[in-house]
Amino acid sequence: MMHFFVIFLDILLFFASLEISYMRNLQIYRYVDTISRTGSIRKAADRLNITSSALNRRILSLEDELGFQIFERIGNGVRLNTAGELVVVMFRKQLAEAERLKSQLADLSGIRRGNVSIACNQALLTYFLPHQIHKYQSEFPNVTFNIMVKDGEQAMDSLRDYSADLALVFEFSSMKTADLQTICTVRQPIHAIMAKSHALSNRETLQFIDCQDYPLALPGNPQSLRDILELTANKTSTPLTPSLTSDDFTFLRNYVRLGEAISFELPIGLPSDSANFDLLNIPVELPDDLSGLLHLAQLRDRTLQVAAARFADQLSQTFFNKFDTN
């Protein structure tokens, strides 16, 4: 009996040592990830609640262990070099796996936990995504969210480097990349946004050329919405000369509210109850091959943690119920 007890104790000690080693690895992974995001050892140390000197020693020790320098020291900050970019992706992958494990364990206890990181187009920030997150957290209050405003290729890169679990990417064509998986695709026409007193307010739909007689307030580049407007202008031989550009949709709305200017948005960026919207929105007829598509995507072959997977299911169901899905 004593012999079996000793064996059992040895097994417990072995797994305990593995857990300690695993937690230490996760710690250095978080250190490198945080430094890469902040671009500063001092700022990362403040965020990690560690002294700058101690954090710097840990990084130097890691670089010595790897046999490669992973950070370049520049001015008052640091940045990843080529080796560091490879290292940080692997570290983020391990951190994501750790979060997935914790999420699964929490689900076993009946308490859903986890952090869902989303890279998305700015159009989703005003109405759609806040309502979806509120709905989800009403049922699972222990799940936290991190929202990053990124468009097109930037959003897809966030999936590739494990900065984001999910991406909502607006494009004018199907998204076909070998390393990404489209969960759901939603067709999104473009709507002209204008004051309710505008001269075009009585129209049910608009041709793009109808807007050219008025000042245009357009999203800046890079924006997929702007890309579609540019392509439409080229295809219809219609000049696209904005009187104002901005990356902030709230600013564009406030601008068109004051006069005869016209801006453009996606239906998903508009309130579901138009009575609560103090601007007018009218669909714009576009060439068929320039129809806008909103893709909900993840990294292919990545198993999402439970919280992110369930939120993706909620978004897919909402898209199916409210929009034209492909």
Side-chain angles (χ1 to χ4, degrees), residues 76-305:
N76 294 325
V78 295
R79 68 184 175 197
L80 292 168
N81 59 20
T82 303
E85 289 173 354
L86 295 174
V87 168
V88 78
V89 170
M90 190 275 283
F91 283 4
R92 287 174 179 168
K93 183 176 181 179
Q94 294 300 317
L95 288 170
E97 286 298 308
E99 287 299 317
R100 185 170 71 90
L101 175 60
K102 288 194 292 184
S103 179
Q104 290 174 325
L105 293 173
D107 251 37
L108 290 176
S109 67
I111 302 175
R112 184 167 299 171
R113 299 183 185 274
N115 177 266
V116 183
S117 186
I118 303 172
C120 70
N121 183 278
Q122 191 189 106
L124 286 86
L125 300 183
T126 306
Y127 297 103
F128 180 77
L129 210 49
H131 282 86
Q132 290 299 310
I133 292 173
H134 175 73
K135 176 182 176 182
Y136 190 86
Q137 287 181 323
S138 295
E139 186 175 359
F140 306 108
N142 294 303
V143 175
T144 59
F145 284 79
N146 175 42
I147 308 302
M148 300 174 288
V149 182
K150 295 180 182 291
D151 199 50
E153 193 64 31
Q154 287 185 340
M156 291 186 282
D157 285 343
S158 295
L159 296 177
R160 295 184 179 109
D161 69 10
Y162 285 81
S163 296
D165 303 305
L166 302 168
L168 285 159
V169 184
F170 181 65
E171 300 287 350
F172 61 86
S173 61
S174 297
M175 188 177 68
K176 295 180 180 179
T177 58
D179 57 343
L180 300 182
Q181 174 184 343
T182 299
I183 301 171
C184 182
T185 299
V186 184
R187 192 168 299 279
Q188 286 285 284
I190 291 177
H191 284 214
I193 307 298
M194 65 193 72
K196 289 187 174 180
S197 58
H198 199 280
L200 297 177
S201 61
N202 61 341
R203 304 284 290 275
E204 292 187 2
T205 63
L206 293 172
Q207 298 288 335
F208 190 64
I209 196 170
D210 296 331
C211 304
Q212 298 303 308
D213 293 332
Y214 303 92
L216 299 181
L218 303 183
N221 289 316
Q223 284 274 358
S224 296
L225 176 56
R226 176 66 179 268
D227 290 342
I228 292 179
L229 294 174
E230 297 276 3
L231 288 167
T232 301
N234 291 337
K235 191 158 190 172
T236 58
S237 300
T238 305
L240 186 65
T241 308
S243 62
L244 179 147
T245 61
S246 174
D247 294 329
D248 190 322
F249 281 93
T250 301
F251 177 84
L252 293 173
R253 287 182 181 182
N254 287 332
Y255 178 73
V256 301
R257 186 179 287 114
L258 300 175
E260 290 293 296
I262 295 175
S263 189
F264 301 91
E265 287 196 37
L266 307 178
I268 203 166
L270 302 172
S272 55
D273 182 5
S274 59
N276 291 329
F277 192 48
D278 59 352
L279 294 172
L280 196 65
N281 64 92
I282 302 175
V284 178
E285 297 179 15
L286 299 176
D288 290 339
D289 59 342
L290 294 181
S291 177
L293 300 173
L294 182 70
H295 305 280
L296 173 61
Q298 71 171 82
L299 190 64
R300 189 177 299 278
D301 298 328
R302 175 180 175 181
T303 303
L304 294 174
Q305 47 133 324

